[in-house]
Amino acid sequence: MRILLIEDDYYSQREFSAYIKELRPDAEIVGITDSISSSIELINNTENIDLIFSDIRLKDGYSFDIFQHVETNALIVFVTAYEGFALKAFDYECIDYLVKPVLKDNLKHAFQKYDKALLRTDKEKATAIWEELRKNNGDLHRLAIISGPDQIIIKEEDIAYLQFIKGYIHVLCKDGRHGVIRSSLLGLLEKLDENVFFQANRTEVININCIERISKDIMLKSFAKMNPSLHIEPIEIARDRVGILKKMLADTR
Amino acid sequence: MERIRLLNAESQIALEQSEIHKLSIKTDNHFMLNELSSLYSMIDIDTKKAKEYLATLITFYRYLVINAEKDLIPLEEELKFSKLFASNVKFTHNDELHISFDSSLDSKFPGLFVPPVSVQSLISNAIKHNAKLPDRPLIIKVFLSGNKICVSNNYQPVEVINESHGQGLQLLKDRCKLLYGGQVETENNGKEFKVSFTIYNSLQQ
């Protein structure tokens, strides 16, 4: 995560950066600026800023000015000693508004909001990519999935396991890569090879080539145990689907 | 203050006194909140400096509490208070802010009075409304001119939103006018902004 800190008070700068390093050791502080002009210059000359913490009253005016002058994809958290600006701040689509003095817990909370917001934007990106793919290919040979900040391209045969959760499909590949796409399970299944991908239950689909063993528990429920390299729990096979799986496996042979 | 009250026509006294007491002292709250937040961060980083800073803040607030209820205070007192404020500000703004008090202000001023927090509020206003940058420092000067005290600064305005705009100045105008018929004047030639107001001279009344 690349962070810009806009703050005109020396002591607040130092404390704030110490908190950032403590809470997010992986984060990189790409700059600390203390005025509108220096912030605009830095944002224009720095690529991929993920998150900006910005004090509102700066030495040469209000930081709102900065965001009127630059285009940035960074998410913004405003920081201020004076609460009278909250409404104005939300005009700039900030994800959080911190009141000074900034306590470590408040900052921690802001980072959590950042994580959530990032997940949301990932999902939006995923939707767009999915729409694009659907336009281009009726059948699915390749699929772009969202993994953290990246999109990764996978082939159909790479997919080991799919799980549908609230509008999104989590995709796990044979080599451990994983990510999400937005789709209904049915919508995706229609495009996958029906001889390879088996819907085990209401929410899970497996690649039958990744099944290591099928076993029953004492209640006679069937489970598919997947290749150990995938590190996933055995997957319950719905009673009325056991026959279908057996037929698929027989055909493959 | 008895003599000051006598300045007004009898029939107006009651009314004007009640007006005066409606005029509570206005400080730049955002500024003070910033200073306190800065102190919060300073404590761990430089404890010695933080304590010095806190001591000046306490003294500053003591002046504010003691004088807020008064109509007029001796000019010397107000200058002492303003200098204290200036040294406070120095703790958090180093190179980008210069506040000077003319040497003529070091004298004793028997019989001269001003409203409390008047000179200080003009300095505070200048800080609030102007840019303060290392390459464009804000230079504030306090000096005497005839029977007036002046606060001037190089004019480099910044936008001020959502905060009391011009209220502090209006308040000072009201107080000077109601208390002793004093005038507040502002001048702006685009390079320099200056506010001056009449000092009340109790010996000449």
Side-chain angles (χ1 to χ4, degrees):
Chain A
M1 188 194 320
R2 288 161 59 80
I3 298 176
L4 166 63
L5 177 58
I6 304 174
E7 165 62 70
D8 69 350
D9 176 63
Y10 169 74
Y11 295 100
S12 305
Q13 283 176 359
R14 283 195 45 187
E15 189 176 59
F16 212 102
S17 19
Y19 283 168
I20 291 174
K21 278 172 198 149
E22 190 184 329
L23 291 169
R24 295 285 159 122
D26 298 341
E28 181 193 350
I29 299 174
V30 297
I32 300 178
T33 51
D34 62 0
S35 65
I36 294 171
S37 46
S38 59
S39 305
I40 291 175
E41 195 183 327
L42 191 134
I43 294 171
N44 283 336
N45 293 308
T46 310
E47 284 185 355
N48 301 329
I49 300 174
D50 299 306
L51 180 59
I52 299 176
F53 288 100
S54 179
D55 190 8
I56 292 181
R57 192 149 126 178
L58 300 174
K59 293 172 174 187
D60 52 353
Y62 295 97
S63 62
F64 300 129
D65 256 16
I66 300 168
F67 303 105
Q68 279 169 358
H69 285 94
V70 295
E71 282 281 321
T72 174
N73 291 324
L75 297 173
I76 303 167
V77 174
F78 283 111
V79 183
T80 181
Y82 178 72
E83 286 167 278
F85 298 120
L87 281 176
K88 179 104 179 149
F90 283 101
D91 286 349
Y92 293 85
E93 293 178 1
C94 66
I95 55 165
D96 205 357
Y97 185 87
L98 299 179
V99 176
K100 287 184 182 179
V102 177
L103 309 180
K104 207 190 298 171
D105 272 355
N106 300 139
L107 187 57
K108 201 168 161 183
H109 191 233
F111 275 126
Q112 285 164 356
K113 282 195 176 173
Y114 169 80
D115 291 339
K116 272 191 200 161
L118 203 64
L119 203 63
R120 201 164 54 230
T121 53
D122 275 356
K123 285 176 177 172
E124 281 158 11
K125 273 190 262 171
T127 312
I129 289 163
W130 180 249
E131 294 298 325
E132 192 60 27
L133 267 167
R134 202 159 50 186
K135 258 187 275 168
N136 295 341
N137 312 338
D139 288 321
L140 187 72
H141 302 294
R142 263 182 343 218
L143 178 64
I145 61 174
I146 297 300
S147 177
D150 305 321
Q151 303 163 20
I152 53 178
I153 309 297
I154 56 170
K155 290 182 191 147
E156 182 181 343
E157 61 261 34
D158 294 339
I159 299 171
Y161 169 77
L162 301 169
Q163 186 184 24
F164 180 78
I165 302 172
K166 292 178 184 163
Y168 299 89
I169 298 173
H170 289 244
V171 181
L172 175 66
C173 296
K174 292 173 185 167
D175 58 7
R177 288 181 298 165
H178 59 90
V180 297
I181 55 171
R182 186 187 174 96
S183 169
S184 68
L185 202 51
L186 201 64
L188 183 58
L189 265 178
E190 278 174 359
K191 299 184 176 66
L192 295 174
D193 184 345
E194 56 181 10
N195 298 315
V196 176
F197 290 93
F198 166 68
Q199 180 168 8
N201 55 53
R202 212 165 43 81
T203 60
E204 292 170 296
V205 171
I206 52 181
N207 179 332
I208 60 167
N209 297 321
C210 298
I211 299 173
E212 191 190 64
R213 176 188 314 169
I214 296 164
S215 48
K216 286 192 168 116
D217 70 0
I218 50 165
M219 301 299 291
L220 299 178
K221 273 186 193 165
S222 296
F223 287 87
K225 190 167 182 330
M226 307 296 284
N227 282 343
S229 63
L230 295 172
H231 302 291
I232 50 177
E233 294 292 308
I235 288 147
E236 189 181 338
I237 302 165
R239 208 164 287 260
D240 59 346
R241 301 195 61 80
V242 178
I244 301 169
L245 176 61
K246 285 190 173 155
K247 189 172 179 303
M248 282 172 75
L249 287 167
D251 289 349
T252 316
R253 216 177 294 136
Chain B
M1 294 306 109
E2 273 313 302
R3 304 184 61 159
I4 299 162
R5 293 202 176 109
L6 292 173
L7 288 173
N8 303 308
E10 283 292 330
S11 60
Q12 295 227 329
I13 291 176
L15 175 70
E16 293 190 350
Q17 283 299 308
S18 69
E19 288 295 315
I20 289 163
H21 289 293
K22 272 192 232 157
L23 307 171
S24 58
I25 285 179
K26 193 112 185 131
T27 50
D28 181 353
N29 292 327
H30 186 177
F31 181 84
M32 292 316 291
L33 288 169
N34 257 329
E35 299 294 290
L36 288 171
S37 302
S38 177
L39 173 64
Y40 171 85
S41 301
M42 203 187 285
I43 289 170
D44 285 335
I45 297 163
D46 190 341
T47 315
K48 190 165 169 281
K49 198 173 169 188
K51 283 186 83 166
E52 281 173 38
Y53 183 41
L54 181 57
T56 63
L57 277 180
I58 292 170
T59 318
F60 177 81
Y61 268 101
R62 182 176 296 123
Y63 267 89
L64 212 56
V65 170
I66 292 171
N67 294 319
E69 294 299 309
K70 296 178 182 167
D71 292 335
L72 289 173
I73 59 167
L75 176 58
E76 274 168 74
E77 288 286 307
E78 175 62 16
L79 288 171
K80 213 160 115 187
F81 175 65
S82 303
K83 284 174 184 169
L84 188 73
F85 173 71
S87 68
N88 259 348
V89 175
K90 268 289 175 191
F91 269 98
T92 45
H93 297 77
N94 265 327
D95 304 330
E96 58 264 10
L97 184 57
H98 302 286
I99 306 174
S100 65
F101 292 81
D102 190 79
S103 57
S104 62
L105 295 172
D106 296 337
S107 339
K108 296 272 177 206
F109 301 103
L112 299 189
F113 291 86
V114 292
V117 201
S118 51
V119 178
Q120 184 272 341
S121 73
L122 293 180
I123 298 172
S124 169
N125 261 350
I127 296 171
K128 177 174 164 181
H129 291 275
N130 292 277
K132 311 157 278 290
L133 296 165
D135 57 338
R136 283 197 294 150
L138 177 64
I139 298 159
I140 301 173
K141 292 175 183 159
V142 184
F143 54 96
L144 283 174
S145 171
N147 65 343
K148 289 186 167 177
I149 188 150
C150 310
V151 176
S152 74
N153 62 270
N154 50 334
Y155 187 64
Q156 33 195 35
V158 294
E159 183 198 14
V160 172
I161 41 173
N162 258 21
E163 297 179 77
S164 62
H165 199 115
Q167 279 180 28
L169 198 59
Q170 189 55 48
L171 190 66
L172 182 62
K173 281 180 182 167
D174 293 345
R175 285 198 293 169
C176 288
K177 191 174 163 223
L178 289 171
L179 287 166
Y180 55 93
Q183 294 289 314
V184 179
E185 282 163 21
T186 56
E187 283 172 49
N188 181 5
N189 63 12
K191 281 186 178 167
E192 190 195 57
F193 183 84
K194 187 171 91 174
V195 184
S196 54
F197 67 92
T198 325
I199 299 168
Y200 173 67
N201 188 337
S202 64
L203 302 177
Q204 279 180 9
Q205 302 301 322

